[in-house]
DNA sequence: GTTAAGGCCTCACGCAACGGGAGAGTCAAG
DNA sequence: CTTGACTCTCCCGTTGCGTGAGGCCTTAAC
């Protein structure tokens, strides 16, 4: 367990930043000392590292928070994606470099050759960092309306809300795993009950989720390796089974 | 002459940003239409490009403004420096990439090998963007105290102040050039008067500038090719001559 | 014992760099 | 002469922290 100052020097960030991340719930230290000192464990450090990776990609903090505490978040997959995005960012920097070279060449030859560079050229490569990468993350999720709603709701959740949500989720997924592990067929009543509970949870915490959308949702998660790996962690095949159950639940 | 919207689409920035840059005096369009519409000329576009380069390097706007309207600012030199800095930034990104690879490798092997990565390693490479590059720009200037004071003063200057300053500077440099062009020796009374005027101007607009510091200042500018090129633009040898005059002015 | 030096805590305000309206004038086209 | 696309000037809101102020904890030195 490290104190806040140690973490700050290790990660070369300010103490204030760590406190800020605690305030907004992005990185809540896993313990407190008797005197109220923040105590960070090793998992917190991993968390922080993740956050810093996202930050180099200029993700807004809120986005980072949503991503990292999303139901299907998988560290390994996230790292792979980040690698990809950082590669792309490096390429962009390369483009800027090229533009610089060009610009230099354009005004270099001695006194004052006429500017041969078109106004289009002049600005072609500047990174529009604002969205770019986030959009990518969203595409994977597919539906934008639902996404936005989810994002909007997250804003309002307090820490206690989050706690409650986590508990509910654990319970619902526990049920699903139990039913699935028992070999229940996805159109059996017990399966339908469990999947319905999952749907209602999505509806409550994330976005309006009618049965049709839930079918879609389970389809995505069962076809995206990142989610599958996480959902199937304890129960291989669960993701697909959930999708089938959701379909069966359409016409009970 | 382009309207604000055209510039915005060309440079892929928001209209609001352009207005903001106008407000803070960073990029004041070179004209206005009768109706008060901002009109941007080609030089404004060049200016904007410069600004965007600096912004990719995450220079604070105020810094950019100071640099670009500094007495000895030279576009070509600036471009060269920016190239260097962007190269460095690309390297940093590369380092982050390496760290990502390492981290991935560290948790990849199947189930759960123990984390072999030290906490130091975990954070070694994250760019401390805050200062880094600006410091570089400052080093060139040498004296930090004077620099800071200069920076502090700039904050308070209004546009009209800037106008007045430009006029004064033009006048003082005009005098210097005239005296110099006449072949006056740097220790002649006319030279001393002109250099003293220059010193007082520095003192007034930039930072407390006793004669000793002015000697230093002229020494820097006469040994830094970027300034020399600008000062000597019309009068080759002026920078060095000013340095000598400043020395002579120590003991008039 | 106490006292001084760090490190930590919680407010709380401040700041940069814009985003996003509101309300109103301008300008070409139909 | 009106409509739609642009533009203008306020002015308030937001994100991601920086920077104290004022006060408690802990340790090491006098």
């Amino acid at each position: 367990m490290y104190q806040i100052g140690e973490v700050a020097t290790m990660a070369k960030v300010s103490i204030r930043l760590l406190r800020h991340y605690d305030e907004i719930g992005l990185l809540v230290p896993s313990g407190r000392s008797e005197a109220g000192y923040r105590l960070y464990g090793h998992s917190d450090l991993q968390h922080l590292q993740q956050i810093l990776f996202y930050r180099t990609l200029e993700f807004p903090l809120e986005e980072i928070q949503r991503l990292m505490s999303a139901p299907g978040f998988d560290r390994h997959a996230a790292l792979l994606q980040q690698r990809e995005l950082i590669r792309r960012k490096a390429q962009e920097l390369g483009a800027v470099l090229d533009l610089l070279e060009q610009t230099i060449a354009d005004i270099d030859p001695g006194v004052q050759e006429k500017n041969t560079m078109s106004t289009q050229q002049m600005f072609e490569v500047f990174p529009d960092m604002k969205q770019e990468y986030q959009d990518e993350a969203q595409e994977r999720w597919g539906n934008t309306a639902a996404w936005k709603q989810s994002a909007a709701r997250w804003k309002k959740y307090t820490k206690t809300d989050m706690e409650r949500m986590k508990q509910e989720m654990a319970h619902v997924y526990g049920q699903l795993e139990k039913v699935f592990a028992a070999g229940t067929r996805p159109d059996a009543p017990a399966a339908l009950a469990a999947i319905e509970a999952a749907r209602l949870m999505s509806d409550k915490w994330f976005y309006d989720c009618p049965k049709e959308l839930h079918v879609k949702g389970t389809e995505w998660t069962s076809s995206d390796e990142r989610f599958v790996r996480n959902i199937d962690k304890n129960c291989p095949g669960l993701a697909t089974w959930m999708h089938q159950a959701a379909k069966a639940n359409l016409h009970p």
Side-chain angles (χ1 to χ4, degrees), chain A:
Chain A
M1 289 292 187
Y2 306 96
Q3 285 194 173
I4 196 171
E6 307 179 76
V7 178
T9 44
M10 282 192 314
K12 285 179 284 185
V13 297
S14 75
I15 290 186
R16 181 60 177 91
L17 179 145
L18 291 173
R19 287 206 260 255
H20 182 57
Y21 287 0
D22 183 8
E23 271 176 28
I24 65 175
L26 178 55
L27 180 66
V28 181
S30 46
R32 289 276 184 143
S33 83
E34 275 185 41
Y37 287 22
R38 272 162 260 249
L39 295 177
Y40 295 83
H42 190 261
S43 68
D44 294 328
L45 294 185
Q46 287 188 355
H47 236 83
L48 177 54
Q49 195 200 26
Q50 280 287 326
I51 293 171
L52 293 183
F53 279 132
Y54 276 124
R55 214 189 44 166
T56 35
L57 289 164
E58 288 161 279
F59 277 51
L61 297 188
E62 198 183 310
E63 191 70 15
I64 299 179
Q65 187 175 4
R66 264 209 332 76
L67 285 172
M68 291 186 59
S69 45
F73 182 76
D74 172 5
R75 181 155 172 244
H76 185 259
L79 287 169
L80 292 179
Q81 197 190 9
Q82 286 167 343
R83 182 177 60 179
E84 179 55 28
L85 294 179
I86 291 208
R87 281 206 184 122
R88 214 174 303 172
K89 202 182 167 186
Q91 280 206 332
E92 279 171 15
L93 257 195
V96 174
L97 211 55
D98 286 348
L99 176 57
L100 255 170
E101 304 275 11
Q102 245 183 293
T103 312
I104 291 172
D106 197 48
I107 62 169
D108 204 12
V111 202
Q112 201 169 7
E113 212 163 84
K114 269 199 175 170
N115 297 317
T116 60
M117 190 175 267
S118 82
T119 51
Q120 289 191 13
Q121 278 179 297
M122 280 179 70
F123 300 103
E124 245 162 9
V125 299
F126 286 105
D128 328 2
M129 303 265 129
K130 22 199 168 184
Q131 284 286 17
E132 237 180 344
Y133 304 126
Q134 284 93 303
D135 287 352
E136 176 96 355
Q138 289 191 18
E139 271 173 36
R140 305 259 183 159
W141 260 92
N143 186 298
T144 303
W147 175 271
K148 281 190 179 175
Q149 192 176 35
S150 164
R153 288 202 191 169
W154 270 90
K155 287 193 185 179
K156 304 182 179 171
Y157 290 163
T158 67
K159 288 180 196 173
T160 43
D161 284 337
M162 302 277 294
E163 269 318 304
R164 290 226 317 271
M165 190 196 74
K166 278 194 178 178
Q167 286 190 0
E168 274 190 44
M169 276 186 40
H171 180 247
V172 167
Y173 269 88
Q175 279 299 107
L176 279 167
E177 289 184 6
K178 215 178 73 183
V179 177
F180 171 75
T184 316
R185 281 181 33 201
D187 54 353
L192 296 187
I195 202 74
E196 179 66 3
R199 185 182 71 79
L200 290 175
M201 197 187 59
S202 282
D203 201 76
K204 176 176 174 188
W205 291 103
F206 301 109
Y207 43 83
D208 297 336
C209 188
K211 293 187 177 180
E212 294 76 14
L213 185 54
H214 197 221
V215 173
K216 272 289 175 197
T218 53
E219 187 182 321
W220 294 329
T221 55
S222 67
S223 63
D224 188 323
E225 46 146 335
R226 298 172 308 160
F227 294 119
V228 171
R229 201 178 318 172
N230 216 271
I231 296 175
D232 285 14
K233 201 162 42 190
N234 305 317
C235 300
L238 176 55
T240 314
W241 182 87
M242 280 176 61
H243 177 42
Q244 289 165 352
K247 275 195 293 190
N249 191 34
L250 264 179
H251 317 289

